[in-house]
Amino acid sequence: MIKEGETVQLTDGKNSFFIRLKKGEVFGTHRGNINHDDIISAGYGGEVQTHKGHRFLVLRPTLHDIIMYGIKRKTQIIYPKDSGYITVKLGLTDRMKVLESGVGSGGLTIVMANAVKPEGKIYCYEKEEKYIKNAYNNIALAGLEKYVEIKHQSLEEPLPEDFFDAGFIDVREPWLYIENIKNALKKGAPVGFLLPTTNQVSQTLSALKEHGFINLEVVELLERHYKPVPDRLRPEDRMVAHTGYLIFGRNG
């Protein structure tokens, strides 16, 4: 069964579209128009037909599908290979209140919000106001908007909250804001950072040690896909290698 308000994925094997359903509306593609009501009636695993006769299979999209192929990117996103590890490393689960700064296009926010629902919440601080509307739209595509609050504020200013169970920071110079981050986290709360270069990692580690953070760890995750051909299995010619260095620690 599909309910109004859910996001579905339509695919014909070559093209994919992600639609949040609303009764009475029509979705246009280069292959023709599709009525939302027809999609709801078809159900997951069913087929719908455009007014030109082209057929699409109706799928329930995974978070990976939505993040990699569905959301609109106005910034670089944190890839699932990192966001999944971040979410587990921070121990995110229901009822937790989580600090995020540098929401960007909302890729990581979607994964973390899914982990803390139905009673937890992600509190995002975004310095660039121009990214906020798109991030909200992307989070809504995943049906997770009620678990997220985005505020237009930089970490340069002290945060009004001091109750966060965990945090993740993706900003250019986090070492400048470690005191404000520390004051917003509960004692012992885990926190993570994403940084693209080693000199940024070194500066952040120094600041974390100076402010009493413990259990510090630096990790880089690599991902390599293989061509799914049974008789000549081999790696793909390209891979997602370096996306960033991850730092983890706890508020000591």
Side-chain angles (χ1 to χ4, degrees):
M1 296 289 293
I2 301 177
K3 297 179 181 179
E4 183 179 19
E6 291 185 10
T7 294
V8 301
Q9 180 181 359
L10 301 184
T11 182
D12 62 0
K14 294 182 178 179
N15 305 286
S16 284
F17 302 99
F18 296 81
I19 310 165
R20 195 163 194 191
L21 298 173
K22 186 175 181 180
K23 290 180 179 178
E25 293 202 353
V26 177
F27 180 74
T29 78
H30 65 293
R31 293 286 194 169
N33 299 331
I34 304 168
N35 294 317
H36 285 209
D37 290 352
D38 291 343
I39 299 172
I40 294 171
S41 298
Y44 293 115
E47 284 192 343
V48 290
Q49 187 170 299
T50 71
H51 78 283
K52 294 182 177 179
H54 191 76
R55 293 184 176 276
F56 285 93
L57 181 65
V58 182
L59 302 177
R60 186 194 303 273
T62 65
L63 287 186
H64 183 277
D65 294 331
I66 291 173
I67 292 167
M68 294 303 294
Y69 312 115
I71 67 175
K72 293 182 180 178
R73 304 185 190 183
K74 291 193 174 181
T75 64
Q76 178 61 270
I77 65 166
I78 294 180
Y79 283 86
K81 79 176 182 71
D82 293 320
S83 61
Y85 185 84
I86 290 165
T87 300
V88 174
K89 190 71 177 175
L90 296 180
L92 303 190
T93 190
D94 183 21
R95 298 179 183 272
M96 291 183 69
K97 297 177 180 178
V98 182
L99 164 67
E100 182 187 14
S101 187
V103 66
S105 296
L108 174 63
T109 315
I110 289 171
V111 177
M112 296 198 300
N114 187 65
V116 302
K117 70 178 186 182
E119 296 186 37
K121 195 169 187 179
I122 311 299
Y123 295 78
C124 304
Y125 288 87
E126 176 54 60
K127 181 179 180 180
E128 300 292 341
E129 188 174 12
K130 62 185 177 181
Y131 298 141
I132 293 177
K133 182 178 179 180
N134 182 63
Y136 263 131
N137 289 339
N138 287 337
I139 294 162
L141 186 69
L144 296 166
E145 65 274 21
K146 68 180 179 181
Y147 311 112
V148 177
E149 180 180 338
I150 305 177
K151 300 181 180 181
H152 178 215
Q153 182 180 328
S154 168
L155 288 179
E156 296 172 9
E157 309 165 36
L159 302 184
E161 297 91 356
D162 61 358
F163 52 62
F164 292 117
D165 299 298
F168 193 83
I169 312 300
D170 180 11
V171 299
R172 184 174 296 177
E173 298 175 321
W175 56 88
L176 299 178
Y177 320 122
I178 297 300
E179 184 175 355
N180 287 342
I181 295 167
K182 182 180 180 68
N183 291 337
L185 294 170
K186 290 180 180 179
K187 190 78 169 179
V191 64
F193 301 82
L194 178 73
L195 293 159
T197 66
T198 54
N199 61 306
Q200 290 171 301
V201 172
S202 295
Q203 287 178 279
T204 303
L205 286 173
S206 296
L208 288 168
K209 288 182 178 180
E210 181 182 341
H211 286 84
F213 282 80
I214 61 173
N215 295 349
L216 298 181
E217 176 186 359
V218 182
V219 63
E220 178 186 16
L221 305 177
L222 307 180
E223 178 182 32
R224 183 164 73 170
H225 287 260
Y226 283 71
K227 296 183 178 182
V229 182
D231 295 334
R232 45 190 180 89
L233 184 66
R234 52 160 291 186
E236 294 281 1
D237 298 322
R238 296 182 179 183
M239 67 178 287
V240 178
H242 177 73
T243 50
Y245 300 104
L246 296 170
I247 303 176
F248 295 99
R250 286 185 177 269
N251 187 14

